[in-house]
Amino acid sequence: MLSKKTKYGLKALSYLARQEGNTPVQVGEIASNENIPQKFLESILLTLRKSGCLGSKKGKHGGYYLIKKPSDIIMADVMRVLEGPIALVPCVSLNFYEKCDDCPDEISCSVHKLMIQVRDSTLNVFRNTTLADVSKTSKDMDLIK
Amino acid sequence: MLSKKTKYGLKALSYLARQEGNTPVQVGEIASNENIPQKFLESILLTLRKSGCLGSKKGKHGGYYLIKKPSDIIMADVMRVLEGPIALVPCVSLNFYEKCDDCPDEISCSVHKLMIQVRDSTLNVFRNTTLADVSKTSKDMDLIK
DNA sequence: ATTATTCCTATCGATTTAATAGGAAATACA
DNA sequence: TGTATTTCCTATTAAATCGATAGGAATAAT
């Protein structure tokens, strides 16, 4: 299951991607528009900024803004920052690998093989989706038709 | 992330699938061979039995056994019993649907659309994999070559 | 009877999650 | 210069979940 943190983070990024210019948007505005507790969102945007997904400006008229084009922001990267490993078990994680306590032999572990398949299929989605895809509203989709 | 419960449950099912006959196998045997805490495994096998994935026999010489051919046991079903929803958010779950508190409009929610894609790709794996596939050891794989 | 096993309920400690609190640091602007 | 505004940072909390254990009832074989 996705944590609220991840869900809120994605919605906030999507909100920023839907902005016209690149002027900073305040946490309060995002929070109220997306129904996210403001203080919680504050901490989430902070981690996104620290990981290089966002820029920020302090003080009056400050806020957060994207530092890359939405079409250059890969969801796999965002997901790893917000949610951590994409794999369902650490022993098949590409970026957060850990050996299992209970498995003497990884190669012959039945769970292992299955989880590699799941990881790859999930990764296939996240690697081929950008924030630009995610942030398209249904109104945008109508216009495309 | 996969819970230990699910991981242990999968390993236990796989162990049973690798048995020759269909005579009951005791929890203790599975637990020691798969490095699973026995009491914990007891409760896991109980839920698998209650959900119809396993049969059991009480008393001396009792134990657990598969009631279907491994090739008829679909991983999607097993995963739902052990782990619950396959979807990453309840609002895209086929079997455990729940509305989000924070989304006024599901259709236009950006997270929603992404999560449907992930669900479908994961489901594609779990629906097309049976316990027979999972329980194949690397030794089996060698023999096939 | 005795022994071995599943079945059931309850509980526990540790961890994680979601959220809040309070204030420091920085910035805009009057 | 000073005040309002906003991000930044640390700490804390309440609730939920997870992993595991405890103890014994019910059942079956010998």
Side-chain angles (χ1 to χ4, degrees):
Chain A
M1 279 283 154
L2 221 58
S3 65
K4 294 264 183 182
K5 177 184 173 188
T6 301
K7 191 187 179 194
Y8 292 159
L10 293 178
K11 289 179 88 171
L13 285 172
S14 177
Y15 185 88
L16 288 175
R18 273 180 269 124
Q19 296 298 306
E20 290 297 323
N22 244 19
T23 55
V25 180
Q26 293 160 24
V27 175
E29 179 186 334
I30 306 174
S32 64
N33 277 293
E34 297 289 343
N35 298 305
I36 304 172
Q38 172 157 351
K39 273 290 192 180
F40 193 12
L41 183 57
E42 238 177 66
S43 70
I44 296 168
L45 295 184
L46 208 48
T47 64
L48 282 169
R49 197 221 60 189
K50 285 182 180 170
S51 72
C53 295
L54 282 179
S56 69
K57 192 186 164 193
K58 283 188 183 179
K60 210 167 187 176
H61 300 171
Y64 289 90
Y65 52 90
L66 298 180
I67 50 179
K68 291 198 286 188
K69 280 190 303 181
S71 58
D72 286 340
I73 299 177
I74 311 295
M75 293 316 292
D77 299 328
V78 173
M79 288 301 297
R80 287 195 178 105
V81 167
L82 290 170
E83 188 73 9
I86 287 169
L88 290 181
V89 278
C91 71
V92 303
S93 173
L94 298 178
N95 291 256
F96 300 83
Y97 175 85
E98 258 178 75
K99 196 184 172 309
C100 302
D101 303 331
D102 53 315
C103 283
D105 177 12
E106 212 160 76
I107 307 299
S108 67
C109 172
S110 43
V111 176
H112 189 83
K113 290 179 291 181
L114 178 63
M115 291 304 134
I116 284 183
Q117 285 187 66
V118 175
R119 179 203 66 191
D120 286 342
S121 76
T122 304
L123 218 37
N124 186 51
V125 174
F126 285 140
R127 277 188 177 150
N128 292 295
T129 307
T130 71
L131 185 56
D133 303 317
V134 167
S135 64
K136 281 195 187 75
T137 64
S138 54
K139 193 187 287 181
D140 291 336
M141 303 302 282
D142 287 345
L143 291 176
I144 290 173
K145 276 181 200 164
Chain B
M1 279 280 153
L2 218 63
S3 65
K4 293 267 183 182
K5 177 184 172 189
T6 302
K7 191 187 178 192
Y8 292 161
L10 292 178
K11 290 179 87 171
L13 285 173
S14 177
Y15 185 89
L16 288 175
R18 275 180 267 121
Q19 297 297 306
E20 291 296 321
N22 244 19
T23 56
V25 180
Q26 293 160 23
V27 176
E29 178 187 333
I30 305 174
S32 64
N33 277 292
E34 297 287 345
N35 298 304
I36 303 171
Q38 173 157 353
K39 271 290 192 180
F40 194 12
L41 182 56
E42 236 177 68
S43 69
I44 297 168
L45 294 185
L46 207 49
T47 62
L48 282 169
R49 196 223 62 189
K50 284 180 180 169
S51 72
C53 295
L54 283 178
S56 69
K57 192 186 164 196
K58 283 190 183 177
K60 208 167 191 176
H61 299 170
Y64 289 91
Y65 52 90
L66 299 179
I67 50 180
K68 290 199 283 187
K69 280 190 302 177
S71 58
D72 287 340
I73 300 177
I74 311 296
M75 292 316 293
D77 300 327
V78 173
M79 288 300 298
R80 288 197 178 104
V81 168
L82 290 171
E83 190 72 10
I86 287 170
L88 289 181
V89 279
C91 69
V92 302
S93 174
L94 300 177
N95 290 258
F96 301 83
Y97 175 84
E98 259 177 74
K99 195 181 173 313
C100 303
D101 303 331
D102 54 316
C103 284
D105 177 12
E106 213 159 77
I107 307 298
S108 66
C109 172
S110 43
V111 176
H112 188 84
K113 289 178 293 178
L114 178 63
M115 291 304 132
I116 284 183
Q117 285 187 65
V118 175
R119 180 203 66 192
D120 286 343
S121 77
T122 304
L123 219 37
N124 187 49
V125 174
F126 285 141
R127 278 187 175 152
N128 292 293
T129 306
T130 70
L131 184 56
D133 304 316
V134 166
S135 65
K136 279 197 188 75
T137 65
S138 54
K139 193 188 285 181
D140 292 335
M141 302 305 280
D142 287 346
L143 291 176
I144 291 172
K145 277 182 199 166

